[in-house]
Amino acid sequence: MDYEGGSMSTYNLGKLERIELRDIWMSESSHFTPWLAREENLSTLGEALGLELELEALERAVGPFRADILCKDIGTNAWVLIENQLERTDHSHLGQLLTYASGLEAVTIVWIAARFTEEHRSTLIG
């Protein structure tokens, strides 16, 4: 059978399934952050964001605080800050993002969380 002039291929597709993040990763810093920082996972995240991410540091010091993941966008040579949260977004993490971004001169901020409040989404997107 042809489809628009080419042959139709058969693909085995997986099924997306919603999971609770804490069912897979018990701790952000000990489990999720190291998993996300693996080259193949940063590559997948980068593809989704249109960036080519290269890991610079895990738990990067920013004064007395620690940013989860700091990457370099190879295409622009700019810093990319990734902050993880296995729960719903909160003011504490929003403050951390702003502090880390300023201290690290990050051009891009990526906030990964289980759920975003509308107020936090609005703050970041405008």
Side-chain angles (χ1 to χ4, degrees):
M1 176 176 184
D2 283 344
Y3 181 72
E4 293 184 20
S7 62
M8 187 180 225
S9 299
T10 303
Y11 297 98
N12 292 323
L13 301 176
K15 182 179 177 184
L16 291 178
E17 200 177 319
R18 184 175 296 274
I19 61 165
E20 287 299 320
L21 298 178
R22 291 256 186 224
D23 289 347
I24 307 297
W25 298 283
M26 298 304 295
S27 161
E28 290 169 24
S29 60
S30 300
H31 300 115
F32 184 73
T33 298
W35 175 86
L36 182 60
R38 287 190 211 152
E39 186 177 345
E40 65 271 18
N41 297 330
L42 280 179
S43 178
T44 300
L45 177 61
E47 286 174 24
L49 298 172
L51 304 171
E52 188 178 351
L53 299 175
E54 179 179 80
L55 179 65
E56 175 70 21
L58 290 176
E59 300 295 325
R60 173 69 182 265
V62 182
F65 309 108
R66 301 223 173 261
D68 289 339
I69 300 175
L70 181 64
C71 293
K72 179 86 55 150
D73 176 10
I74 300 304
T76 63
N77 210 34
W79 294 116
V80 178
L81 168 65
I82 302 172
E83 183 66 19
N84 308 315
Q85 193 172 357
L86 295 178
E87 308 292 337
R88 182 179 59 118
T89 57
D90 58 37
H91 285 11
S92 174
H93 279 81
L94 177 58
Q96 288 171 293
L97 275 170
L98 297 174
T99 300
Y100 301 158
S102 175
L104 296 170
E105 298 179 3
V107 171
T108 303
I109 298 171
V110 179
W111 191 3
I112 297 173
R115 285 173 282 295
F116 280 79
T117 66
E118 191 52 45
E119 295 77 12
H120 293 141
R121 184 184 319 274
S122 173
T123 299
L124 296 175
I125 297 173

